[in-house]
């Protein structure tokens, strides 16, 4: 059995002051709330504000997801909600698309229109909690438009709404589903970020290393990759969109996965805070201290939840939740005991939310900020993962930055090699996983978890049929006029911001497939990414008539 970190650093049996030789408290650690923020951003830690305690929702119809959100609130979800798109809306096609009919609402929320968002949020306020919508980069601009349109329809003060609905354009190269070209996702990501900054909307953009690690990447690689993404996206917003870095720094947040390697995961989060603070101050010349704060949310690792002996996942979830809390995360959502089987059952969801509350109120870890600070082992691990993370960042920089590294295949090869190494270690039992290659039991002795199922022939078809019928009830003239404007704007180049036209199209209930389709046409692409359907609107004739 190997005793080393997941990035190859050999763990010693004992750590002493010699392992952190040259360590300076003020330079390398500092007090909580002080640069370099390894110990967190708030002097009182969780005494002043508890992390957001939430679960991810997304299965069946929008009404089904709405019921689950309300149920999670009853179970103890506090501070925010999180919803993930289904694969259909992740691809910016509609539920009634030929490829969408059997997958709508399967493993996610069918968020292909403002109508779906209205049903998702029925009876749920937009204010008083963080609104997080995830899934892929492609629908990011649409999600932002949904929030703005619904807030205006309800008469809510947009400045009082906060959360995250924008997602980085790299996720489909890190294990997420997305069929849009990188260039289009990048343009719409920058449009959405620029729009929230210029309009002082408190919506953040997720720069996610979770997908990278869930696809096999190690902790040091995750640090290098996320710092590279942050560096490139912030630079584009500053240099191409003409924004001040101190304004740009209010937008990104990092969703990091925390696995079962307890001390190693805590060290990673501490190092990430320190690395971002240094980048913000030294590279981007941040004028405000708050610009050195990177909001970090934790997702306990679904990859570590095993199909075999699923009750063991309760212990894994508890260990990872404890690590996330000790690391000082801002928000936390748990994987569940049935994660390898299906979307969470009510039992599994309750267990995971209760785990967060047990950690928060029974363990005492919220009493002290960064309780492992000063540990020779933890400080050494924090230094080591930071050191290795900078090596990965330098490798990506040498390739020309994150965009060039993605296009050149460096990131894909990095994932392929690392995932392969992990599988080989499991096969050789150099890494032990209880129930998988250690303490294995016969199949007949396995605990049978309750499965929450959605059958494509029933739920997905009904969602598709409802969408198809609903589309005919909309104001077709208003749709054509708004989509024509969007089509014309899409021809105006990468720097022309499409968010105003997208919001106006969303308000008349243009669907994700229609909005994405006319943008694609304006940029010289096929209306449908799968080239199975044609644009139902005569955009050129409407546009010509409009221009007289």
């Amino acid at each position: 059995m190997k005793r080393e970190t997941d990035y190859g650093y050999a763990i010693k049996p004992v750590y002493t002051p010699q392992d952190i030789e040259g360590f300076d408290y003020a330079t390398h650690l500092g007090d909580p709330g002080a640069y370099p923020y390894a110990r967190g951003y708030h002097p009182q830690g969780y005494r002043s504000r508890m992390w957001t305690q939430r679960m991810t929702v997304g299965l069946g119809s929008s009404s089904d997801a709405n019921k689950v959100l309300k149920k999670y609130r009853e179970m103890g979800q506090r501070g925010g909600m999180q919803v993930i798109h289904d694969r259909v809306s992740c691809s910016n096609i509609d539920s009634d698309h030929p490829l969408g009919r059997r997958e709508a609402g399967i493993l996610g929320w069918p968020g292909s229109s403002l109508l779906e968002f209205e049903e998702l949020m029925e009876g749920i306020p937009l204010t008083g909690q963080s609104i997080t919508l995830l899934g892929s980069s492609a629908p990011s601009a649409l999600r932002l438009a949904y929030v703005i349109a619904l807030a205006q329809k309800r008469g809510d003060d947009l400045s009082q709404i906060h959360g995250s609905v924008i997602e980085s354009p790299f996720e489909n190269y890190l294990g997420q589903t997305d069929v849009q070209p990188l260039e289009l996702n990048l343009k719409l990501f920058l449009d959405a970020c620029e729009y929230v900054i210029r309009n002082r909307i408190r919506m953040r953009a997720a720069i996610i290393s979770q997908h990278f690690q869930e696809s096999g990447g190690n902790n040091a690689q995750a640090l290098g990759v996320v710092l590279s993404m942050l560096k490139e996206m912030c630079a584009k917003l500053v240099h191409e969109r003409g924004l001040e870095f101190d304004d740009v720094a209010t937008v990104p947040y990092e969703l990091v996965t925390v696995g079962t390697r307890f001390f190693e995961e805590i060290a990673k989060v501490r190092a990430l805070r320190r690395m971002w603070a240094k980048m913000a101050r030294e590279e981007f010349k941040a004028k405000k201290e708050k610009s050195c704060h990177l909001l970090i949310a934790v997702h306990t690792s679904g990859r570590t939840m095993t199909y075999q002996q699923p009750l063991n996942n309760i212990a894994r979830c508890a260990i990872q939740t404890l690590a996330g809390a000790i690391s000082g995360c801002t928000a936390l959502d748990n994987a569940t005991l049935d994660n390898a089987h299906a979307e969470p059952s009510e039992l599994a969801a309750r267990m995971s939310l209760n785990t967060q509350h047990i950690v928060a109120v029974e363990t005492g870890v919220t009493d002290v900020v960064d309780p492992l600070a000063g540990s020779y082992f933890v400080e050494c691990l924090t230094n080591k993962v930071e050191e290795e993370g900078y090596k990965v960042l330098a490798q990506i920089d040498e390739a020309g930055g994150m965009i060039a590294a993605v296009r050149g295949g460096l990131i894909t090869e990095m994932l392929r090699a690392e995932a392969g190494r992990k599988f080989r270690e499991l096969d050789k039992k150099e890494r032990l996983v209880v129930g998988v290659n250690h303490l294995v039991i016969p199949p007949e002795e396995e605990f049978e978890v309750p499965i929450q199922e959605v059958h494509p022939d029933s739920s997905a078809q009904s969602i598709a049929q409802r969408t198809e019928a609903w589309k005919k009830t909309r104001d077709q003239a208003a749709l054509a006029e708004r989509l024509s404007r969007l089509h014309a704007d899409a021809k105006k180049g990468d720097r022309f911001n499409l968010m105003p036209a997208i919001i106006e199209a969303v308000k008349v209930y243009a669907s994700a497939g229609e909005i994405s389709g006319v943008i694609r046409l304006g940029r010289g692409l096929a209306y449908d990414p799968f080239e199975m359907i044609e644009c139902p609107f005569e955009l050129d004739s409407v546009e010509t008539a409009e221009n007289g």
Side-chain angles (χ1 to χ4, degrees), residues 405-432:
V406 162
R407 288 175 175 154
L410 174 63
I411 304 303
T412 304
E413 176 56 27
M414 193 183 292
L415 279 174
R416 186 200 63 76
E418 188 63 19
R421 183 182 68 82
K422 284 184 168 70
F423 280 120
R424 288 191 296 273
E425 289 181 350
L426 285 172
D427 288 342
K428 295 176 182 178
K429 294 193 174 182
E430 294 173 343
R431 297 280 189 190
L432 299 182

Side-chain angles (χ1 to χ4, degrees), residues 251-283:
V251 172
Y253 89 96
E254 158 64 356
L255 180 56
V256 61
T257 198
V258 163
T260 312
R261 304 278 302 174
F262 185 76
F263 295 103
E264 191 177 333
E265 304 294 348
I266 293 167
K268 173 180 66 181
V269 176
R270 298 171 86 243
L272 177 57
R273 279 195 294 264
R274 195 159 66 188
M275 293 169 80
W276 166 253
K278 184 177 181 181
M279 179 179 284
R281 180 177 281 190
E282 296 181 8
E283 186 150 347

Side-chain angles (χ1 to χ4, degrees), residues 12 15-25 28 376 379-380 383-384:
K12 303 196 304 184
Y15 282 76
T16 69
Q18 283 68 45
D19 292 294
I20 53 171
E21 194 171 356
F23 180 83
D24 177 75
Y25 180 85
H28 299 106
Y376 303 132
E379 297 301 349
C380 179
N383 292 342
K384 287 293 182 184

Side-chain angles (χ1 to χ4, degrees), residues 498-543:
L498 297 183
M499 278 308 308
I502 291 172
I503 293 166
E504 290 306 307
V506 160
K507 286 179 179 178
V508 294
Y509 294 94
S511 68
E514 293 162 349
I515 291 171
S516 174
V518 299
I519 292 173
R520 288 173 59 89
L521 284 176
R523 293 177 63 85
L525 301 168
Y527 175 80
D528 174 22
F530 300 101
E531 300 189 27
M532 297 179 71
I533 60 175
E534 299 294 329
C535 178
F537 302 96
E538 296 182 12
L539 300 172
D540 290 334
S541 62
V542 174
E543 190 179 322

Side-chain angles (χ1 to χ4, degrees), residues 247-529:
D247 294 327
V248 170
T250 64
V251 172
Y253 89 96
E254 158 64 356
L255 180 56
V256 61
T257 198
V258 163
T260 312
R261 304 278 302 174
F262 185 76
F263 295 103
E264 191 177 333
E265 304 294 348
I266 293 167
K268 173 180 66 181
V269 176
R270 298 171 86 243
L272 177 57
R273 279 195 294 264
R274 195 159 66 188
M275 293 169 80
W276 166 253
K278 184 177 181 181
M279 179 179 284
R281 180 177 281 190
E282 296 181 8
E283 186 150 347
F284 288 104
K285 311 301 179 186
K287 300 181 181 69
K288 299 178 182 177
E289 278 304 301
K290 198 169 180 67
S291 301
C292 298
H293 299 182
L294 177 65
L295 190 153
I296 300 173
V298 159
H299 175 75
T300 66
S301 176
R303 173 177 50 85
T304 63
M305 302 292 117
T306 63
Y307 187 87
Q308 303 91 331
Q309 300 182 39
L311 291 181
N312 292 339
N313 295 331
I314 298 173
R316 294 184 178 105
C317 178
I319 291 165
Q320 294 169 16
T321 301
L322 186 63
I326 290 176
S327 75
C329 68
T330 304
L332 198 154
D333 64 280
N334 306 64
T336 58
L337 68 92
D338 54 2
N339 223 104
H341 294 74
E343 288 298 288
S345 66
E346 184 172 325
L347 169 66
R350 188 180 297 277
M351 284 298 305
S352 285
L353 279 169
N354 282 353
T355 298
Q356 291 202 45
H357 287 281
I358 290 167
V359 168
V361 302
E362 294 187 24
T363 63
V365 299
T366 60
D367 295 342
V368 178
V369 186
D370 193 23
L372 296 181
S375 157
Y376 303 132
F377 178 46
V378 170
E379 297 301 349
C380 179
L381 275 184
T382 303
N383 292 342
K384 287 293 182 184
V385 75
E386 180 176 340
E387 178 184 326
E388 293 301 315
Y390 276 127
K391 289 179 184 177
V392 176
L393 178 59
Q395 185 183 4
I396 297 172
D397 282 346
E398 287 171 13
M402 188 64 183
I403 293 173
V406 162
R407 288 175 175 154
L410 174 63
I411 304 303
T412 304
E413 176 56 27
M414 193 183 292
L415 279 174
R416 186 200 63 76
E418 188 63 19
R421 183 182 68 82
K422 284 184 168 70
F423 280 120
R424 288 191 296 273
E425 289 181 350
L426 285 172
D427 288 342
K428 295 176 182 178
K429 294 193 174 182
E430 294 173 343
R431 297 280 189 190
L432 299 182
V433 179
V434 175
V436 177
N437 65 354
H438 183 58
L439 300 178
V440 179
I441 63 174
E444 61 269 19
E445 294 181 20
E446 290 276 8
F447 175 79
E448 192 171 325
V449 299
I451 301 295
Q452 183 180 192
E453 295 182 307
V454 171
H455 298 285
D457 289 338
S458 55
S459 177
Q461 283 291 351
S462 66
I463 293 170
Q465 290 163 2
R466 195 280 292 265
T467 299
E468 191 172 35
W470 163 74
K471 282 184 174 180
K472 298 173 183 175
T473 68
R474 301 171 299 168
D475 184 335
Q476 300 300 316
L479 273 170
E481 186 274 324
R482 301 288 174 88
L483 290 173
S484 179
R485 172 193 164 186
L486 178 59
H487 180 242
D489 285 354
K491 296 178 178 180
K492 296 178 181 177
D494 282 346
R495 303 290 179 86
F496 189 88
N497 198 306
L498 297 183
M499 278 308 308
I502 291 172
I503 293 166
E504 290 306 307
V506 160
K507 286 179 179 178
V508 294
Y509 294 94
S511 68
E514 293 162 349
I515 291 171
S516 174
V518 299
I519 292 173
R520 288 173 59 89
L521 284 176
R523 293 177 63 85
L525 301 168
Y527 175 80
D528 174 22

